[in-house]
Amino acid sequence: KERLTCANIESAISSTMLKIEGAYSLVIMTGDKLVAARDPKGYRPLCYGKLDDGQYVIASETCALDVVGADFVRDIEPGEILVFSEDGIKSIKTHCKKEKKSLCVFEYIYFARPDSVIDGVSVHESRVKAGRTLAKEHPVAADVVIGVPDSGLDAAIGYSEESGIPYG
């Protein structure tokens, strides 16, 4: 709807960002542009990388860049719109720092792959640290620590290391 009244795709996205609330990361392709946008609170992660042939890749997790052989360039800031075109990369920060940053904690706990790095923080290390903290705050007498589901494996390792209870 906004694209009908705006001069270009980036203006339409910027205008739309003023009207919508909630968690989103957008990747939009036109005939001559690739556009990425992250919600102003940064609920959802978004980053970009570069392939050896000079093409850019946008993904929600750094591990996706690894899979396609792209080098991580940087995280897209909350509220930032990036426009990739023949003219280069244009960063629009009109919506940046207008909201308190609020990344969804479930990205670190459950959603993201452990080999990802989100906003400079290793998902694996954050899960291990959470397990260590849990062991300190809620010690138990147990024979073994087991991680369930798979996203809980790193936290279980941290709990095991901190508590001295064997991991299995």
Side-chain angles (χ1 to χ4, degrees), residues 45-157:
L46 196 61
C47 65
Y48 77 97
K50 191 173 184 179
L51 296 166
D52 289 339
D53 65 4
Q55 293 186 45
Y56 290 96
V57 179
I58 301 167
S60 61
E61 294 186 52
T62 58
C63 65
L65 302 176
D66 299 337
V67 169
V68 298
D71 293 321
F72 172 78
V73 174
R74 71 174 176 88
D75 290 298
I76 296 172
E77 295 178 38
E80 185 177 16
I81 300 168
L82 278 182
V83 182
F84 300 83
S85 70
E86 288 182 356
D87 298 328
I89 303 170
K90 178 179 162 186
S91 173
I92 302 167
K93 296 189 176 186
T94 309
H95 303 288
C96 292
K97 298 184 177 156
K98 297 209 173 180
E99 301 273 352
K100 182 181 176 192
K101 186 176 175 185
S102 300
L103 181 71
C104 176
V105 70
F106 282 100
E107 292 293 342
Y108 290 108
I109 295 170
Y110 184 70
F111 297 147
R113 276 186 22 176
D115 55 338
S116 285
V117 176
I118 301 173
D119 292 334
V121 178
S122 162
V123 172
H124 166 74
E125 290 300 323
S126 69
R127 289 176 182 171
V128 170
K129 186 175 180 180
R132 289 182 181 280
T133 301
L134 184 62
K136 289 177 187 173
E137 293 180 2
H138 298 282
V140 297
D143 298 322
V144 67
V145 176
I146 300 170
V148 176
D150 282 353
S151 60
L153 298 178
D154 297 331
I157 290 169

